[in-house]
Amino acid sequence: MLNRRNFLTAAVGVAAAGGLAACAKEDEGSSSSSDGGSGGKKLTLGFSQVGSESGWRTANTDSVKASAKEAGYTLKFSDAQQKQENQISAIRSFIAQKVDVIAFSPVVVTGWDAVLKEAKAKKIPVVLTDRSVETSDESLYVTLVGSDFTDEGRRAAKILEKVLEKAGRKGNVKIAQLEGTTGAAPAIERAKGFKEVMDADHKDDWKIVVSQTGDFTRAGGKQVMAAFLQSNPDIDVLFAHNDDMGIGAIQAIEAAGKKPGKDILIVTVDGVKDGFVAMSEGKINAIVECNPLLGPQLMEVVQKVKDGETVDRWIKTKEGDFMQDQAKDALPTRKY
């Protein structure tokens, strides 16, 4: 995994793109009149997205498309529909098209060495966005633009301490965990960070009684939470690895005749607008932010990489944490 460092900030607006079909939904985004690089030749960026499983992912895609257009780059965009094989095919397509830079948000952590070696052999630099990978050779990619998921897990545990204190909950705490996509970096690392704090500070009073993937989707969160409540009706806390699963879980909790945010305290990760709406309604107790607006940072990095400049090994986004009583004030600031 990465030795991660250095924080930068991201911000962006809304975007559009055209359509070209491939085995993974692929299109070439429109470009502005800027030359997007030296010598008047527009820089071509191939970008493979995980999919569209959540509000966070939609905002991330919009950010990349809008920022590429603003930078004047030709964007070749591919939606992997949450399948690694689609993403590998898209990257090979970008190599065949001789794009200047490849960027992608990997579906899972492992299984990338072969295709990354193909890109390196053709001297096409690769930038990771949002998620990390495990490789036998870290020179196969230049940098990662994204969040510290392990720290997000730690922050979720620390903010749960505040939530429990505010709710007057003392003694043993039974926790249900809705994990992200199996094998994905955020699922692995958020669970790891949460457990670090739990084992260090709450070994005797906190216990994860049930944990299962909801695949980062609302439908998955609803379905899995319904099963959790059947097997463990006395759950005290839900830790959901993203807002969308938490929102789906809220539906299951209400269907079971319980009050989300009161009978079952809920902490989620992301900070999308719908999550803040649920928090303003008292149904989510706290949210750990994960910023999806990576587009501007990515375009800056892509230009530097193309120009042969040195970039940091890991470029982090700036994030915050929010409690329920901050929701109404923070909600108007949510642009995604």
Side-chain angles (χ1 to χ4, degrees):
M1 300 293 284
L2 301 172
N3 179 15
R4 305 174 166 191
R5 44 189 190 273
N6 297 340
F7 281 76
L8 294 176
T9 309
V12 80
V14 187
L20 167 67
C23 66
K25 191 177 176 184
E26 187 173 332
D27 64 80
E28 181 175 330
S30 58
S31 302
S32 71
S33 58
S34 168
D35 64 19
S38 59
K41 180 181 179 296
K42 288 184 180 180
L43 186 153
T44 299
L45 170 64
F47 182 78
S48 176
Q49 182 60 281
V50 171
S52 54
E53 76 283 359
S54 64
W56 192 100
R57 190 62 55 190
T58 299
N60 181 244
T61 293
D62 288 347
S63 178
V64 170
K65 289 183 175 181
S67 298
K69 183 176 181 180
E70 184 177 353
Y73 302 162
T74 297
L75 177 66
K76 295 184 179 294
F77 181 88
S78 176
D79 179 345
Q81 300 170 352
Q82 293 183 277
K83 296 180 180 179
Q84 185 180 32
E85 60 267 30
N86 288 349
Q87 208 157 41
I88 290 172
S89 293
I91 293 170
R92 286 187 169 133
S93 174
F94 297 152
I95 294 169
Q97 294 175 71
K98 299 180 180 179
V99 302
D100 295 300
V101 180
I102 293 171
F104 76 109
S105 182
V107 176
V108 293
V109 171
T110 59
W112 302 103
D113 278 32
V115 72
L116 293 182
K117 286 177 181 177
E118 291 170 28
K120 185 176 181 179
K122 295 296 184 179
K123 301 187 183 331
I124 301 175
V126 174
V127 175
L128 305 179
T129 69
D130 175 37
R131 300 177 176 186
S132 61
V133 299
E134 292 179 354
T135 67
S136 60
D137 177 4
E138 288 197 347
S139 73
L140 296 177
Y141 62 91
V142 178
T143 186
L144 164 67
V145 180
S147 302
D148 187 334
F149 299 133
T150 302
D151 190 55
E152 288 173 354
R154 296 188 194 106
R155 285 158 49 202
K158 298 305 289 185
I159 207 166
L160 176 57
E161 293 175 338
K162 297 178 182 178
V163 168
L164 289 166
E165 181 180 0
K166 187 172 181 179
R169 300 283 187 93
K170 297 179 180 179
N172 294 333
V173 177
K174 295 181 178 179
I175 302 170
Q177 180 173 232
L178 274 169
E179 305 168 23
T181 303
T182 301
I188 295 168
E189 294 172 22
R190 285 172 186 161
K192 176 185 174 183
F194 189 89
K195 193 172 186 301
E196 280 181 12
V197 174
M198 191 176 78
D199 288 349
D201 301 333
H202 299 281
K203 197 169 186 178
D204 297 328
D205 57 332
W206 288 13
K207 183 179 180 182
I208 296 177
V209 295
V210 62
S211 185
Q212 186 176 322
T213 179
D215 212 25
F216 283 128
T217 67
R218 292 192 191 190
K222 181 179 180 180
Q223 180 180 359
V224 175
M225 189 66 197
F228 283 174
L229 290 169
Q230 287 184 349
S231 61
N232 294 272
D234 55 350
I235 290 167
D236 300 303
V237 169
L238 170 66
F239 169 41
H241 286 189
N242 78 340
D243 291 342
D244 280 78
M245 288 191 297
I247 292 167
I250 285 169
Q251 298 172 20
I253 293 167
E254 290 176 331
K258 294 178 180 287
K259 291 184 178 180
K262 292 184 179 180
D263 296 330
I264 298 177
L265 305 176
I266 300 175
V267 173
T268 65
V269 182
D270 270 357
V272 299
K273 189 170 184 178
D274 285 354
F276 273 81
V277 169
M279 192 159 62
S280 70
E281 295 171 344
K283 297 179 180 182
I284 290 178
N285 300 87
I287 294 175
V288 172
E289 184 181 27
C290 179
N291 197 325
L293 307 181
L294 306 181
Q297 286 174 287
L298 175 59
M299 300 313 147
E300 290 176 11
V301 169
V302 164
Q303 188 64 63
K304 288 180 179 179
V305 167
K306 177 59 179 172
D307 291 343
E309 296 181 30
T310 300
V311 296
D312 294 320
R313 186 63 177 167
W314 187 21
I315 300 169
K316 295 183 182 179
T317 56
K318 182 177 283 188
E319 302 167 344
D321 301 328
F322 300 87
M323 294 282 287
Q324 195 176 80
D325 56 7
Q326 300 171 289
K328 289 183 180 179
D329 289 336
L331 182 55
T333 70
R334 294 294 96 180
K335 305 299 182 185
Y336 49 87

